[in-house]
Amino acid sequence: MGCHPKDTEKHEETPKLEATTPLHENTSVFKEYVCQIHAIRHIEIRALERGYLQNIFVDEGQWVRQGQPMFKIMPNIYQAELLKAKAEANNMNIEYLNTKGLADQKIVSPNELALAKAKLDKAEAEVKLAETHLGFTDINAPFDGIMDHLAARNGSLLDEGDLLTTLSDISKLWVYFNVPEAEYLDYKAHKQSNTPTQVRLRMANGEIFNQTGVIETIEADFDNTAGNIEFRATFPNPDRLLRHGETGTILMEKPYPNAMLIPQKATFEILDKTYVYVVTSEGKLEQRLIHIEADIPHLFIVKDGLKDDDKILLEGLRKVHSGEEVEIAFKAPEKVRSELELYTE
């Protein structure tokens, strides 16, 4: 008797590929802008009188208080000029009193008394002027701040206006950054009139500054060469961590209410255009062009190209092609999102 062996050929089952639908939720994206950090007040301290620099009371990098002595210019000449002016004023006062006595006795005319009084007033004004010049030999801090390099040393002969140092008030910081025209228009379109826009600052070492800033001003004109406009944010600096002249990166949050989100791994690019595979109701793959509004870690915010109930392929994108029939294992978008967050951690 003959027997027919059973067909032992193995037929591989078509594997199921994971798919999901877009997820909607409120999210936000941080726009980054290179910035320059400035002290809220940064001024030059200069000599107000000519003379030798007699004393320096502060050191480079020192924190000084308002009114604290910083420099002393040799006062000898100005002290002598003050003594001379006071002596002249005493002389004019005696002359005026003598003239007044004669005028009371009708011996001299009122005009002579008025002339004596004018001479006394002039002499007293010269005293005040000499006192002012003498006061300029003492240079005190105009506000609380930190001092920069010394531009002169003890014994230096200074002319009026010579630079001594610079002083920075870093209790607050003005942070300047340039915003492209399109992003400026988006900012103005979504800006709530009375609500200040808060921003964060990433420092040069990559860490986030521990204070939050507020955008206070926008410059009047655009830079036509670069297509940018300058914003200014103000940050408190209570620990005096940041200094005038530093750089960093401004992080400005842009909200996307009820944004459509899809995993980045569900997309592929062809000639700088972004596509996904959508599974049709017949179970076939359709290559769909989408437009990306922004990206966040592992997710894209979709501007258009997808509908809420579209099933998009999550895996095997390089092994399939448009029009191919596939079997899918559907995974809820919330679960996909949680797995991506777990992977990020």
Side-chain angles (χ1 to χ4, degrees):
M1 297 197 43
C3 62
H4 299 282
K6 293 183 179 180
D7 186 9
T8 58
E9 183 181 356
K10 295 182 179 179
H11 297 279
E12 294 183 1
E13 295 184 359
T14 303
K16 290 187 177 181
L17 301 177
E18 287 187 355
T20 188
T21 54
L23 173 67
H24 280 270
E25 68 178 27
N26 296 329
T27 188
S28 59
V29 172
F30 283 94
K31 295 286 186 178
E32 299 187 0
Y33 306 94
V34 176
C35 63
Q36 289 283 340
I37 299 171
H38 294 255
I40 195 169
R41 285 184 288 184
H42 179 75
I43 65 168
E44 295 176 337
I45 305 294
R46 294 183 176 272
L48 298 175
E49 295 292 348
R50 188 176 189 276
Y52 286 99
L53 183 56
Q54 180 174 302
N55 292 109
I56 300 175
F57 302 109
V58 288
D59 199 1
E60 296 173 336
Q62 182 178 336
W63 183 263
V64 297
R65 296 290 182 183
Q66 182 177 2
Q68 180 178 339
M70 298 181 70
F71 302 95
K72 176 77 171 179
I73 297 174
M74 188 174 291
N76 302 41
I77 295 176
Y78 303 103
Q79 288 172 341
E81 288 180 350
L82 177 58
L83 292 175
K84 178 183 176 182
K86 286 182 175 180
E88 185 66 21
N90 288 334
N91 185 39
M92 290 298 102
N93 186 49
I94 292 171
E95 183 177 332
Y96 168 74
L97 293 175
N98 290 338
T99 305
K100 186 175 185 303
L102 294 175
D104 291 343
Q105 298 176 24
K106 309 297 184 183
I107 297 175
V108 298
S109 67
N111 287 341
E112 289 188 41
L113 178 61
L115 181 59
K117 182 64 169 64
K119 291 180 180 179
L120 175 60
D121 290 343
K122 180 182 178 182
E124 290 177 343
E126 292 290 341
V127 171
K128 291 182 179 179
L129 181 60
E131 288 175 343
T132 300
H133 282 295
L134 180 60
F136 283 164
T137 63
D138 293 314
I139 301 174
N140 302 324
F143 51 78
D144 294 355
I146 191 167
M147 198 181 85
D148 199 10
H149 289 295
L150 290 168
R153 298 294 188 270
N154 279 348
S156 300
L157 178 60
L158 303 173
D159 283 325
E160 182 180 344
D162 279 355
L163 179 66
L164 296 172
T165 188
T166 55
L167 186 66
S168 300
D169 178 2
I170 56 173
S171 59
K172 290 184 179 180
L173 302 169
W174 280 348
V175 180
Y176 294 89
F177 58 100
N178 291 317
V179 176
E181 183 175 355
E183 295 179 17
Y184 160 79
L185 294 173
D186 288 342
Y187 170 81
K188 295 297 288 185
H190 296 93
K191 174 74 171 65
Q192 298 180 5
S193 57
N194 297 323
T195 305
T197 302
Q198 295 186 341
V199 293
R200 302 302 302 269
L201 173 63
R202 183 192 296 132
M203 300 179 290
N205 62 356
E207 296 185 4
I208 303 299
F209 186 45
N210 60 8
Q211 300 291 324
T212 301
V214 176
I215 294 177
E216 290 188 336
T217 63
I218 302 174
E219 294 297 318
D221 300 325
F222 272 88
D223 179 357
N224 292 329
T225 58
N228 295 330
I229 192 168
E230 192 170 56
F231 281 48
R232 189 190 80 197
T234 301
F235 283 80
N237 190 30
D239 300 325
R240 306 173 194 165
L241 175 62
L242 298 179
R243 304 289 182 92
H244 177 84
E246 286 190 86
T247 60
T249 303
I250 284 291
L251 306 176
M252 187 192 306
E253 185 178 14
K254 182 179 180 180
Y256 287 93
N258 197 33
M260 177 183 282
L261 304 176
I262 63 170
Q264 292 186 13
K265 69 177 185 178
T267 67
F268 59 96
E269 290 188 358
I270 301 177
L271 298 177
D272 296 331
K273 293 183 178 180
T274 305
Y275 296 86
V276 296
Y277 279 125
V278 175
V279 183
T280 66
S281 57
E282 292 82 14
K284 295 183 178 181
L285 294 179
E286 174 189 328
Q287 183 174 303
R288 183 82 60 83
L289 174 66
I290 62 173
H291 296 96
I292 303 301
E293 177 75 19
D295 64 277
I296 56 179
H298 300 288
L299 295 170
F300 281 135
I301 300 175
V302 180
K303 184 178 183 180
D304 55 55
L306 285 176
K307 295 182 293 185
D308 294 347
D309 57 352
D310 281 337
K311 294 183 176 65
I312 57 174
L313 203 62
L314 283 175
E315 59 181 2
L317 274 64
R318 295 187 179 184
K319 301 177 181 178
V320 296
H321 55 82
S322 182
E324 182 178 348
E325 187 171 342
V326 295
E327 293 186 40
I328 63 170
F330 180 78
K331 182 178 289 188
E334 294 80 8
K335 185 177 181 181
V336 174
R337 174 66 184 271
S338 65
E339 289 177 354
L340 290 173
E341 291 176 349
L342 182 63
Y343 174 77
T344 302
E345 293 176 0

